[in-house]
């Protein structure tokens, strides 16, 4: 490998990788094996050729599914992805770095945890962040650049670093979309200490925003239109003003919505363990002082544990429904029969205790390896685990703050996160252990919580026979 410059939008992006040197600084390296494979596979291209990323990435992705070309196709895609990751990190540093005290070199280690083109230092089963992105990528749904950017901006370790520097990577409009009026009332009362009239005005604005903006966005999503939340249009702002019977023009109304979102953002940064903006000691206090901490009473502890168990089950059910639905829809787009077989195989394996060999015979497959390839249970459980952790992290911290003061919550934040992660991991490990046991043992034993909730979901789907 040698250090090189990457010409923009040319074929060389598929063999030039971003790496981090021993000093923690960014490097660009040319991977000669990837270059030779790419130029041989696409003989019409030269290193300086402008390429169609959609065409090239789709072909490389399909080769990645083939055993004989998988590793080299994956290597080319990872080179491209490393540059997109680098571009996202440089963009974040350009936008926030000077004010919040970091550079793109500080961000790269969170999302570039693999030396592309070099033998892995980890175990063969280790999955890097690049592996995760590639495994979840579908060339029929988005470009690799768009998908990589999205995954980077939602990567938990990177977001935690940004939170610690006072940055929350969600748009104002997405924050307003998923904030309920009751939540706003509690946050503005307990965290910002606003007056009742200020809170009431904010609630009325949020109601109008939901009735116009969120309602229209939901209709777009149902119609298959995806993408990030854009600022409200002048027409939408006028509709909101009309609902409020307000003389406000669109520009002042937009500023008021942004102020509400800014206050909600500050609260979210706080509860996630991030750093708030410092204020002058001479400034008027904008939030209530913490009261001295006292241990929760037995009744409060019992109430919290009951709420936690309810949230855990709700989160597990939601994660199972989300990931199973995503997998089914992805298969449906390619082969409706495969989608139905996926659901049926899940039910036969987890709910009826059938072995993969039995399921293979039911489907007239050549062997159980085809069932394993269809179900991909390890990745299936890992996706549900990630979804459940995201769900619980927000909701349990929100519940916990009702039973302690803010200073204490800040202290125990990481302990709560670790406790949640430990329990989620245990549920997934129990499911993995159960799946690896012999069929007759698995059928006789009490099913794991994971299997019970998965079967509950599958039994309530109308298309499960």
């Amino acid at each position: 490998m040698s250090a090189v410059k990457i010409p923009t939008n040319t074929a060389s992006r598929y063999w030039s990788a971003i790496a981090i040197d021993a000093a923690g600084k960014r490097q660009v390296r040319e991977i000669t094996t990837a270059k030779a494979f790419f130029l041989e596979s696409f003989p019409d291209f030269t290193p300086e050729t402008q390429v169609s990323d959609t065409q090239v990435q789709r072909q490389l992705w399909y080769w990645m599914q083939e055993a004989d070309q998988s590793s080299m196709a994956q290597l080319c895609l990872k080179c491209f992805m490393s540059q997109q990751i680098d571009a996202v990190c440089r963009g974040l540093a350009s936008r926030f770095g000077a004010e919040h005290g970091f550079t793109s070199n500080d961000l790269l280690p969170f999302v570039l945890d693999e030396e592309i083109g070099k033998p892995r230092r980890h175990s063969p089963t280790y999955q890097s962040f690049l592996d995760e992105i590639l495994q979840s990528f579908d060339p029929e749904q988005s470009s690799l650049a768009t998908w990589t950017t999205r995954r980077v901006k939602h990567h938990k370790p990177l977001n935690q670093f940004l939170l610690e520097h006072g940055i929350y990577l969600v748009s104002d409009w997405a924050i307003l979309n998923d904030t309920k009026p009751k939540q706003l009332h509690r946050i503005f009362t307990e965290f910002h200490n606003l007056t009742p009239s200020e809170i009431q005005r904010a609630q009325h604005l949020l109601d109008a925003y939901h009735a116009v903006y969120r309602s229209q966005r939901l209709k777009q999503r149902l119609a298959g239109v995806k993408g990030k939340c854009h600022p409200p249009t002048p027409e939408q702002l006028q509709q909101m003003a009309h609902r409020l019977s307000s003389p406000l023009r669109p520009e002042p109304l937009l500023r008021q919505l942004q102020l509400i979102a800014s206050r909600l953002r500050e609260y979210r940064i706080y509860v996630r363990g991030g750093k708030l903006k410092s204020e002058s000691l001479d400034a008027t206090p904008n939030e209530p002082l913490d009261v001295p901490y006292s241990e929760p009473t037995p009744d409060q502890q019992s109430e919290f544990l009951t709420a936690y168990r309810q949230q855990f089950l709700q989160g597990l059910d939601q994660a199972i429904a989300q990931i199973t639905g995503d997998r089914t829809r992805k298969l449906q787009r390619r082969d409706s029969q495969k989608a139905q077989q996926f659901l049926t195989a899940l039910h036969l394996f987890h709910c009826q205790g059938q072995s993969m060999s039995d399921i293979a015979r039911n489907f007239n497959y050549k062997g159980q390896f085809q069932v394993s390839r269809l179900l991909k249970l390890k990745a299936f459980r890992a996706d549900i685990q990630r979804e459940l952790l995201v769900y619980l992290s927000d909701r349990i911290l929100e519940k916990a703050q009702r039973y302690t003061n803010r200073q204490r919550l800040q202290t125990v934040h990481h302990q709560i996160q670790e406790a949640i992660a430990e329990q989620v991991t245990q549920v997934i490990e129990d499911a993995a252990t159960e799946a690896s046991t012999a069929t007759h043992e698995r059928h006789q034993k009490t099913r794991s919580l994971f299997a019970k909730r998965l079967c509950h979901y599958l039994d309530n789907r109308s298309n499960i026979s």
Side-chain angles (χ1 to χ4, degrees):
M1 299 184 191
S2 57
V4 295
K5 290 186 177 180
I6 308 172
T8 306
N9 297 327
T10 60
S12 59
R13 289 173 299 161
Y14 292 92
W15 59 77
S16 301
I18 303 299
I20 302 169
D21 65 16
K25 293 189 177 180
R26 169 188 180 276
Q27 276 190 338
V28 184
R29 294 172 181 164
E30 182 178 281
I31 302 179
T32 54
T33 53
K35 180 178 181 179
F37 170 79
F38 187 94
L39 293 176
E40 182 181 349
S41 302
F42 299 97
D44 293 339
F45 295 148
T46 67
E48 293 76 27
T49 303
Q50 299 280 328
V51 301
S52 167
D53 287 328
T54 301
Q55 173 193 350
V56 168
Q57 289 165 12
R58 184 179 284 114
Q59 184 61 63
L60 287 171
W61 187 85
Y62 283 118
W63 282 338
M64 201 177 74
Q65 317 307 311
E66 303 295 329
D68 59 334
Q69 301 190 85
S70 175
S71 61
M72 294 309 302
Q74 188 177 101
L75 192 59
C76 292
L77 289 172
K78 284 185 175 183
C79 288
F80 179 91
M81 290 159 61
S82 72
Q83 294 167 50
Q84 188 63 28
I85 287 172
D86 178 56
V88 174
C89 290
R90 285 189 285 109
L92 290 171
S94 174
R95 185 176 175 188
F96 302 111
E99 181 181 352
H100 295 271
F102 64 85
T103 67
S104 61
N105 283 338
D106 297 317
L107 302 181
L108 277 173
F110 292 102
V111 281
L112 266 185
D113 54 354
E114 174 184 346
E115 289 188 89
I116 301 170
K118 287 190 175 182
R120 296 202 177 200
R121 297 176 182 175
H122 305 278
S123 67
T125 58
Y126 171 76
Q127 187 179 55
S128 69
F129 183 49
L130 288 174
D131 290 327
E132 289 181 25
I133 298 174
L134 264 183
Q135 187 180 68
S136 58
F137 173 59
D138 184 349
E140 304 299 330
Q141 296 299 307
S142 66
S143 71
L144 187 56
T146 300
W147 185 243
T148 301
T149 298
R150 180 180 174 186
R151 290 300 300 266
V152 169
K153 289 187 175 181
H154 286 83
H155 191 48
K156 193 170 182 179
L158 177 66
N159 274 281
Q160 187 58 45
F161 173 87
L162 293 172
L163 279 170
E164 289 167 2
H165 287 74
I167 302 162
Y168 180 52
L169 287 182
V170 176
S171 72
D172 288 346
W173 320 115
I175 290 175
L176 292 174
N177 269 352
D178 63 16
T179 299
K180 297 176 182 177
K182 285 185 178 179
Q183 289 176 310
L184 181 144
H185 185 279
R186 178 176 52 77
I187 294 165
F188 280 17
T189 301
E190 299 174 7
F191 187 81
H192 287 292
N193 200 26
L194 300 185
T195 66
S197 59
E198 288 175 316
I199 295 170
Q200 188 177 48
R201 283 198 297 273
Q203 282 184 300
H204 289 331
L205 273 169
L206 185 63
D207 284 336
Y209 180 86
H210 283 180
V212 177
Y213 185 98
R214 188 173 71 170
S215 175
Q216 292 177 17
R217 181 163 175 81
L218 286 173
K219 289 178 182 176
Q220 290 174 343
R221 291 184 71 86
L222 289 172
V225 179
K226 299 181 180 180
K228 65 181 182 180
C229 295
H230 296 285
T233 64
E235 292 75 19
Q236 287 174 322
L237 291 167
Q238 287 173 353
Q239 291 173 37
M240 293 178 210
H242 179 72
R243 294 185 73 89
L244 292 165
S245 301
S246 168
L248 280 176
R249 294 178 59 80
E251 295 82 1
L253 181 56
L254 185 68
R255 286 195 295 272
Q256 288 195 21
L257 288 169
Q258 289 173 317
L259 176 60
I260 293 171
S262 176
R263 286 171 167 159
L264 293 170
R265 182 186 302 277
E266 187 177 353
Y267 168 77
R268 292 189 182 193
I269 290 173
Y270 173 77
V271 297
R272 287 164 172 79
K275 182 177 71 176
L276 298 177
K277 290 181 180 179
S278 58
E279 293 185 339
S280 165
L281 292 175
D282 298 325
T284 304
N286 190 33
E287 57 191 42
L289 295 174
D290 282 321
V291 296
Y293 171 70
S294 59
E295 288 291 336
T297 66
D299 285 345
Q300 287 176 324
Q301 292 178 12
S302 176
E303 183 182 346
F304 174 75
L305 287 173
T306 300
Y308 173 78
R309 293 187 190 103
Q310 290 174 346
Q311 289 289 347
F312 193 94
L313 284 177
Q314 288 174 12
L316 181 56
D317 286 346
Q318 180 170 310
I320 286 171
Q322 179 67 45
I323 299 305
T324 309
D326 287 349
R327 288 283 185 93
T328 306
R329 286 188 289 273
K330 188 173 181 178
L331 288 168
Q332 183 77 37
R333 288 192 292 270
R334 299 176 188 170
D335 186 337
S336 60
Q337 184 181 9
K338 274 286 191 289
Q340 181 59 48
Q341 287 177 342
F342 169 71
L343 292 169
T344 303
L346 277 179
H347 196 274
L348 292 173
F349 184 78
H350 287 286
C351 312
Q352 297 184 26
Q354 289 195 19
S355 68
M356 291 201 179
S357 297
D358 290 337
I359 297 170
R361 283 192 289 272
N362 288 340
F363 292 166
N364 293 321
Y365 283 174
K366 293 179 181 178
Q368 71 175 41
F369 71 93
Q370 287 182 280
V371 181
S372 299
R373 187 183 298 168
L374 174 67
L375 292 179
K376 297 180 181 175
L377 287 180
K378 185 177 179 181
F380 180 66
R381 291 190 297 265
D383 288 344
I384 290 174
Q385 181 177 6
R386 283 193 292 272
E387 192 76 20
L388 177 56
L389 278 171
V390 171
Y391 177 95
L392 288 176
S393 296
D394 290 347
R395 286 160 180 79
I396 298 306
L397 284 171
E398 200 169 290
K399 293 282 184 186
Q401 69 177 334
R402 301 180 186 179
Y403 303 96
T404 185
N405 65 8
R406 289 170 51 195
Q407 183 178 1
R408 174 66 175 168
L409 184 61
Q410 180 75 22
T411 302
V412 301
H413 171 268
H414 293 295
Q415 295 173 355
I416 293 174
Q417 294 280 27
E418 287 174 4
I420 292 170
E422 183 178 346
Q423 184 170 6
V424 171
T425 300
Q426 188 61 56
V427 168
I428 299 301
E429 286 179 352
D430 288 346
T433 301
E434 179 183 65
S436 65
T437 57
T439 303
H440 67 278
E441 294 177 7
R442 177 156 42 87
H443 197 52
Q444 289 171 359
K445 290 182 179 179
T446 302
R447 284 180 295 172
S448 65
L449 177 62
F450 177 91
K452 287 177 181 177
R453 301 317 299 173
L454 176 60
C455 293
H456 174 76
Y457 167 78
L458 293 171
D459 287 339
N460 284 278
R461 282 187 67 105
S462 59
N463 58 346
I464 286 289
S465 55

PDB file of all heavy atoms in Angstrom, residues 24 33 62 88 98 276 327 330 358 370:
ATOM      1  N   GLY A  24      -2.614   8.294  14.885  1.00  0.00           N
ATOM      2  CA  GLY A  24      -4.031   8.642  14.928  1.00  0.00           C
ATOM      3  C   GLY A  24      -4.452   9.617  13.854  1.00  0.00           C
ATOM      4  O   GLY A  24      -5.528  10.208  13.950  1.00  0.00           O
ATOM      5  N   THR A  33      -4.204  -4.902  -4.790  1.00  0.00           N
ATOM      6  CA  THR A  33      -5.022  -6.064  -5.156  1.00  0.00           C
ATOM      7  C   THR A  33      -6.425  -5.631  -5.567  1.00  0.00           C
ATOM      8  O   THR A  33      -7.013  -6.178  -6.514  1.00  0.00           O
ATOM      9  CB  THR A  33      -5.106  -7.059  -3.992  1.00  0.00           C
ATOM     10  OG1 THR A  33      -5.540  -6.369  -2.810  1.00  0.00           O
ATOM     11  CG2 THR A  33      -3.756  -7.707  -3.739  1.00  0.00           C
ATOM     12  N   TYR A  62     -23.516  -7.719  -6.018  1.00  0.00           N
ATOM     13  CA  TYR A  62     -23.930  -9.053  -6.447  1.00  0.00           C
ATOM     14  C   TYR A  62     -22.746 -10.023  -6.461  1.00  0.00           C
ATOM     15  O   TYR A  62     -22.885 -11.196  -6.097  1.00  0.00           O
ATOM     16  CB  TYR A  62     -24.621  -8.998  -7.809  1.00  0.00           C
ATOM     17  CG  TYR A  62     -26.036  -8.492  -7.723  1.00  0.00           C
ATOM     18  CD1 TYR A  62     -26.422  -7.316  -8.373  1.00  0.00           C
ATOM     19  CD2 TYR A  62     -26.989  -9.165  -6.969  1.00  0.00           C
ATOM     20  CE1 TYR A  62     -27.720  -6.840  -8.267  1.00  0.00           C
ATOM     21  CE2 TYR A  62     -28.286  -8.693  -6.854  1.00  0.00           C
ATOM     22  CZ  TYR A  62     -28.651  -7.536  -7.509  1.00  0.00           C
ATOM     23  OH  TYR A  62     -29.941  -7.067  -7.393  1.00  0.00           O
ATOM     24  N   VAL A  88     -18.021  12.350   5.643  1.00  0.00           N
ATOM     25  CA  VAL A  88     -19.008  12.683   6.682  1.00  0.00           C
ATOM     26  C   VAL A  88     -18.305  13.269   7.901  1.00  0.00           C
ATOM     27  O   VAL A  88     -18.741  14.283   8.463  1.00  0.00           O
ATOM     28  CB  VAL A  88     -19.825  11.434   7.079  1.00  0.00           C
ATOM     29  CG1 VAL A  88     -20.748  11.756   8.258  1.00  0.00           C
ATOM     30  CG2 VAL A  88     -20.644  10.932   5.905  1.00  0.00           C
ATOM     31  N   ALA A  98     -14.892  23.603  15.274  1.00  0.00           N
ATOM     32  CA  ALA A  98     -14.257  24.796  15.835  1.00  0.00           C
ATOM     33  C   ALA A  98     -14.948  25.248  17.113  1.00  0.00           C
ATOM     34  O   ALA A  98     -14.291  25.575  18.117  1.00  0.00           O
ATOM     35  CB  ALA A  98     -14.279  25.926  14.797  1.00  0.00           C
ATOM     36  N   LEU A 276     -24.061  20.378  28.311  1.00  0.00           N
ATOM     37  CA  LEU A 276     -24.890  21.533  28.002  1.00  0.00           C
ATOM     38  C   LEU A 276     -24.029  22.772  27.831  1.00  0.00           C
ATOM     39  O   LEU A 276     -22.890  22.833  28.313  1.00  0.00           O
ATOM     40  CB  LEU A 276     -25.898  21.781  29.131  1.00  0.00           C
ATOM     41  CG  LEU A 276     -26.895  20.662  29.392  1.00  0.00           C
ATOM     42  CD1 LEU A 276     -27.763  21.020  30.585  1.00  0.00           C
ATOM     43  CD2 LEU A 276     -27.751  20.415  28.179  1.00  0.00           C
ATOM     44  N   ARG A 327     -37.131  -7.456   7.407  1.00  0.00           N
ATOM     45  CA  ARG A 327     -36.605  -8.618   6.681  1.00  0.00           C
ATOM     46  C   ARG A 327     -37.633  -9.147   5.679  1.00  0.00           C
ATOM     47  O   ARG A 327     -37.298  -9.503   4.550  1.00  0.00           O
ATOM     48  CB  ARG A 327     -36.255  -9.735   7.672  1.00  0.00           C
ATOM     49  CG  ARG A 327     -35.031  -9.475   8.519  1.00  0.00           C
ATOM     50  CD  ARG A 327     -33.749  -9.697   7.728  1.00  0.00           C
ATOM     51  NE  ARG A 327     -32.585  -9.556   8.582  1.00  0.00           N
ATOM     52  CZ  ARG A 327     -31.980 -10.559   9.208  1.00  0.00           C
ATOM     53  NH1 ARG A 327     -32.446 -11.785   9.068  1.00  0.00           N
ATOM     54  NH2 ARG A 327     -30.924 -10.348   9.942  1.00  0.00           N
ATOM     55  N   LYS A 330     -38.017  -6.876   2.665  1.00  0.00           N
ATOM     56  CA  LYS A 330     -36.835  -6.959   1.799  1.00  0.00           C
ATOM     57  C   LYS A 330     -36.892  -8.213   0.929  1.00  0.00           C
ATOM     58  O   LYS A 330     -36.617  -8.170  -0.277  1.00  0.00           O
ATOM     59  CB  LYS A 330     -35.570  -6.965   2.669  1.00  0.00           C
ATOM     60  CG  LYS A 330     -34.276  -6.859   1.891  1.00  0.00           C
ATOM     61  CD  LYS A 330     -33.097  -6.710   2.833  1.00  0.00           C
ATOM     62  CE  LYS A 330     -31.790  -6.580   2.062  1.00  0.00           C
ATOM     63  NZ  LYS A 330     -30.630  -6.390   2.970  1.00  0.00           N
ATOM     64  N   ASP A 358     -35.537 -30.694   9.232  1.00  0.00           N
ATOM     65  CA  ASP A 358     -36.962 -30.946   8.990  1.00  0.00           C
ATOM     66  C   ASP A 358     -37.573 -29.833   8.147  1.00  0.00           C
ATOM     67  O   ASP A 358     -38.366 -30.086   7.234  1.00  0.00           O
ATOM     68  CB  ASP A 358     -37.717 -31.055  10.316  1.00  0.00           C
ATOM     69  CG  ASP A 358     -37.355 -32.318  11.082  1.00  0.00           C
ATOM     70  OD1 ASP A 358     -36.899 -33.273  10.437  1.00  0.00           O
ATOM     71  OD2 ASP A 358     -37.522 -32.328  12.317  1.00  0.00           O
ATOM     72  N   GLN A 370     -29.568 -24.195   3.485  1.00  0.00           N
ATOM     73  CA  GLN A 370     -30.428 -23.217   2.814  1.00  0.00           C
ATOM     74  C   GLN A 370     -31.375 -22.550   3.806  1.00  0.00           C
ATOM     75  O   GLN A 370     -31.709 -21.373   3.669  1.00  0.00           O
ATOM     76  CB  GLN A 370     -31.225 -23.893   1.699  1.00  0.00           C
ATOM     77  CG  GLN A 370     -30.377 -24.248   0.476  1.00  0.00           C
ATOM     78  CD  GLN A 370     -31.210 -24.859  -0.627  1.00  0.00           C
ATOM     79  OE1 GLN A 370     -31.531 -26.042  -0.591  1.00  0.00           O
ATOM     80  NE2 GLN A 370     -31.570 -24.049  -1.610  1.00  0.00           N
TER      81      GLN A 370
END
